[in-house]
Amino acid sequence: MKKRNSVFANLAISHVSIVLVIVLLLCSAFYVFFTNNYKEELHSKNRIMMQNTAQTIESNVLKRVEQIYLDISLDKSADLRLFADSSYTSHLSKVIDLQELIKSKVTNNSDLVHAVHLYYPEEQIMLSSNHGLNYNADQGSGSVYFADWINGMRASKDSSLWTATRLVPQDIYSSQPDSNASALFTYVHSYPVQSSGQNSDLLIAIDVKESAVSSIIQRMMPSQYKDTYTLDSSGMTISDVSKGSIGVYRDYDSGVRRALMSETPSGSFKETIHHTDYVVSYQTLETTGWKIYSAVPASTFYAPSEFIQKLIVGICLFAILLGTILSGILALASYNPIKRIVNKIKESTDHAPDQIQNEYSLIDTAFSKLSNKVSSLEETLNANSSVIKHNVVLNILRNAYTPEELTEELPFLGIPQPYTHYCCLLLNLGEAGYNPDHAKETFAYPIVNELNAASLHERYVIAEELPDNKVVVIVCTNSAGDSLLEQISDLLLSSGRSQFYRDIHVSWGCWVQKMKDIHRSYSEAVTLMKYGYFLPEQTILKDRLILARENSVEEIPQSLLGRFRDKLQNRQSEDMIGAVDALIRTLQEGTYPAHYCHFILANIVFMYSDHLKSIRYKPPGDEHADLYQQYLQLNHIHEFRAWITESIVTFTAQMDKRSSERAVSSIELARQYIDLHLSEDLSLDAVASKVFISPKYLSRLFKEELGVTYTEYVTTQRLEKAKTLIESNHLTIEQVASTVGYGTSAYFIKKFKETYGCTPRNYMRSIAEHM
């Protein structure tokens, strides 16, 4: 039982099992793959063979026969129309030339052509290269060998005809059987060329040797030629190497019927013929429409693949045997180190643990204890490694290390090799949409890993988060160039936009040759980043000319600030926005330092804010809005323009509305004050100060809103009050005048009489009389 549970036994069993599984899987895969591939290859090879055979028959036989016809019909050395009419009797001397012409064609093409015949339908005369001149050629014992094409052309509207193969004896006029008869098929064509068989003056017939076709099949399909035939559209055998079925219909064969009925010019399929599986292939001859038909027993066709199958099985058995032997060797080799480890564990401990089944249990127990200690150590290191690296980067950027200290701290950055060039890139993520707690986890680290993975030996990239929502990227490379910085910048921008959904900027520092000088590159990147606020269109700040602005002492014309101040007093929104736009253009196009530009913008904000406070204006929705704090939250100059433009438009609209509402409110307050203080000083200046508007504006409001002057309104109110007091009959005239604000009773009496047409005393007397 102990031996069965030993590590060596387990290793041996596992190795053997793996070998068996792998070999069986490979055996099955190879068996299926190679068998199917080989069968497919055989099918493909057979199709290509059939196609090549058909093309060869087309070019070497059929097209060549058609060319012989053309050569005869276009030949000018003999009169082809010699027997076309009854006048031939006067030109019999030309018969020899005509016969020599067709004999020469037969001689020159003896491998292909058996004979050439010229047949004149009107005169029923035939001139043959083999049989000479024959009158009434369609009659007699030999006419049977010409009847098929003569009769076929007489009834045909076409200009040419290919006949089926027939056996023709050497002497067609002999009644003795001829065992050496030739298998021939005939190509016949009308003359003239375009005439039909019915209307032709002459029929040119070329007897073609069937052997020309069968020899090509035998040569190009040596393994299948005995089972290969050429059939016409009706199923009659045109060509057969064995000659046993020439002129025989084979449509009784199911494979033949299927091939003849197929609409495709070529194909291959399996067919059961007489209870035997065959692989049937066919290929159509384009010129004649005949089909090369081949039916080979499937067992013969796939016989070579059986050898492949047996070979694969043999190889797999050998692989299993060899794998089993190697498994034992590998198991023994694998066990030796385990045995040594077990001995060392036992030596390092005071006593071996009890109840341990095999060596693996002992190793597992030892490694579990070691793993706990290592995990604790790794957690400590991992918890502090990022902090250490972050602090090293910040100190390098501040130039806080001496050369000796820098040498000691550089290994914490994980730079794989020394580099010859270093550059610092600064990425500004802005304020909104940024979560500093997860910046490195969600942004910096994936980009660094992607950049480093792309080409570890050509460059190395370090990225760290800075306290002000920026990310610094240090590029280490052996080949400095803007193309590399462009690539990294594009990656930073695209990744930053996808995560933070806002416009961000990247600035480049200069290239330096040592890591200790990287603070110079960082300083330039920081300087360039300042101008991202004023040049938001430049997402990559790399123009070194911008650095010259830092030392500029130019100042903007004071007229620009004065223009804004003047337009602010006039409260014309379009003029105020125009003044802001002019100032922004000047800041962008000029060579002013970034801090000076911010100073100018802050002045504009303070100027605007002071004006709003001076007129006691409160922005809608936020009674304690701090314009300067809002300005500090803006990311670039375009946001500044949009913000201040919106504020100006809202301010002017509110002030217009406030002026309209204030006019009504001021008059109402003035009227209330007048009604309550008729006995006091109601001069225009006194009342205007009580309602906090100017005397001139108060006078204009009374005229515009009430249609009377201020003095007229006060006089009317005093006299109306006086009437009420007189009607009460409790006060003297002097007391009434004093109560309604008249210093002397004489002036009161005068004004009362001017208004009502009688003195106050008469008015009092008239009231008493009516009572």
Side-chain angles (χ1 to χ4, degrees), residues 491-507:
L491 182 59
L492 291 171
L493 291 172
S494 62
S495 181
R497 288 167 183 157
S498 65
Q499 293 189 39
F500 303 113
Y501 308 103
R502 60 178 294 105
D503 293 332
I504 57 180
H505 291 85
V506 173
S507 61

Side-chain angles (χ1 to χ4, degrees), residues 66 199 305 456 593 602 655 730 747:
E66 290 180 345
N199 303 321
S305 66
L456 182 60
M655 290 308 298
H730 296 302
Y747 184 69

Side-chain angles (χ1 to χ4, degrees), residues 455-753:
S455 182
L456 182 60
H457 297 292
E458 294 181 5
R459 61 174 179 259
Y460 186 76
V461 177
I462 304 168
E464 287 294 333
E465 175 203 0
L466 297 180
D468 53 351
N469 289 345
K470 292 182 177 64
V471 175
V472 64
V473 178
I474 300 175
V475 181
C476 313
T477 181
N478 289 324
S479 56
D482 288 353
S483 60
L484 174 59
L485 299 182
E486 289 280 0
Q487 175 190 355
I488 296 175
S489 298
D490 291 340
L491 182 59
L492 291 171
L493 291 172
S494 62
S495 181
R497 288 167 183 157
S498 65
Q499 293 189 39
F500 303 113
Y501 308 103
R502 60 178 294 105
D503 293 332
I504 57 180
H505 291 85
V506 173
S507 61
W508 298 357
C510 61
W511 285 100
V512 296
Q513 296 182 349
K514 295 181 180 180
M515 179 60 82
K516 70 181 183 63
D517 297 326
I518 198 66
H519 64 279
R520 291 173 37 220
S521 179
Y522 172 70
S523 177
E524 286 194 6
V526 170
T527 301
L528 287 172
M529 186 59 71
K530 297 178 184 177
Y531 294 90
Y533 186 94
F534 301 97
L535 304 171
E537 299 85 0
Q538 298 184 20
T539 55
I540 300 178
L541 301 166
K542 58 182 179 179
D543 190 357
R544 310 253 78 80
L545 295 177
I546 297 178
L547 298 174
R549 295 178 60 165
E550 282 295 289
N551 300 321
S552 174
V553 295
E554 288 189 54
E555 295 184 1
I556 66 170
Q558 291 300 313
S559 58
L560 290 175
L561 293 175
R563 177 184 173 187
F564 177 77
R565 186 184 301 105
D566 296 340
K567 302 303 180 184
L568 187 61
Q569 295 294 336
N570 295 333
R571 299 179 186 174
Q572 299 295 323
S573 60
E574 293 184 0
D575 293 341
M576 293 167 67
I577 294 171
V580 171
D581 288 340
L583 179 63
I584 290 175
R585 274 196 308 273
T586 302
L587 294 179
Q588 286 184 312
E589 297 172 0
T591 58
Y592 311 106
H595 63 87
Y596 177 74
C597 295
H598 280 292
F599 170 75
I600 294 299
L601 292 180
N603 275 349
I604 292 292
V605 173
F606 284 129
M607 188 184 303
Y608 180 51
S609 177
D610 291 343
H611 178 73
L612 298 185
K613 291 178 182 178
S614 68
I615 61 173
R616 300 179 182 178
Y617 171 76
K618 295 180 180 180
D622 188 357
E623 297 182 355
H624 305 287
D626 188 335
L627 294 182
Y628 183 71
Q629 290 300 322
Q630 293 181 18
Y631 157 70
L632 294 179
Q633 299 299 319
L634 303 176
N635 289 287
H636 52 74
I637 195 73
H638 292 335
E639 287 189 5
F640 173 82
R641 183 194 180 279
W643 167 73
I644 199 167
T645 298
E646 181 183 0
S647 179
I648 288 172
V649 170
T650 303
F651 160 65
T652 54
Q654 290 291 327
M655 290 308 298
D656 290 342
K657 180 180 178 182
R658 175 177 167 181
S659 296
S660 177
E661 295 174 349
R662 189 175 181 183
V664 176
S665 175
S666 298
I667 291 177
E668 187 63 28
L669 290 173
R671 292 174 64 183
Q672 291 177 5
Y673 182 82
I674 291 170
D675 291 343
L676 296 175
H677 302 84
L678 290 174
S679 61
E680 300 176 10
D681 180 12
L682 294 180
S683 64
L684 185 62
D685 292 340
V687 175
S689 65
K690 296 298 182 180
V691 295
F692 306 104
I693 57 176
S694 66
K696 184 177 180 181
Y697 182 56
L698 180 61
S699 176
R700 180 162 59 87
L701 287 178
F702 267 86
K703 188 66 175 176
E704 292 177 354
E705 298 295 331
L706 302 180
V708 296
T709 65
Y710 174 77
T711 303
E712 290 173 344
Y713 178 80
V714 173
T715 300
T716 300
Q717 294 301 109
R718 281 176 166 170
L719 294 178
E720 287 292 330
K721 182 67 175 177
K723 282 178 61 179
T724 303
L725 294 174
I726 292 172
E727 291 172 358
S728 64
N729 201 20
H730 296 302
L731 299 174
T732 64
I733 298 301
E734 288 77 8
Q735 289 175 331
V736 171
S738 175
T739 302
V740 296
Y742 287 100
T744 62
S745 57
Y747 184 69
F748 166 67
I749 294 170
K750 177 183 176 183
K751 298 302 291 183
F752 192 91
K753 186 176 182 179

Side-chain angles (χ1 to χ4, degrees), residues 338-357:
I338 295 173
K339 186 177 181 180
R340 288 195 297 269
I341 293 174
V342 169
N343 291 334
K344 289 184 178 180
I345 292 174
K346 290 180 178 179
E347 292 174 359
S348 62
T349 56
D350 295 336
H351 60 279
D354 298 331
Q355 304 298 328
I356 293 180
Q357 295 181 356

Side-chain angles (χ1 to χ4, degrees), residues 114 131 145 167-174 176-178 180-182:
H114 176 78
H131 310 297
Y145 300 104
L167 295 176
V168 180
Q170 293 182 356
D171 185 359
I172 63 175
Y173 301 106
S174 174
Q176 299 296 323
D178 189 352
N180 295 322
S182 301

Side-chain angles (χ1 to χ4, degrees), residues 166-221:
R166 63 197 182 284
L167 295 176
V168 180
Q170 293 182 356
D171 185 359
I172 63 175
Y173 301 106
S174 174
S175 60
Q176 299 296 323
D178 189 352
S179 60
N180 295 322
S182 301
L184 305 175
F185 59 87
T186 302
Y187 172 70
V188 57
H189 201 293
S190 62
Y191 184 87
V193 177
Q194 299 298 330
S195 63
S196 65
Q198 297 174 344
N199 303 321
S200 62
D201 296 336
L202 167 64
L203 298 178
I204 302 176
I206 303 173
D207 287 340
V208 184
K209 298 176 181 179
E210 180 274 341
S211 60
V213 175
S214 60
S215 63
I216 292 174
I217 295 175
Q218 183 174 1
R219 184 176 69 254
M220 300 190 70
M221 302 175 64

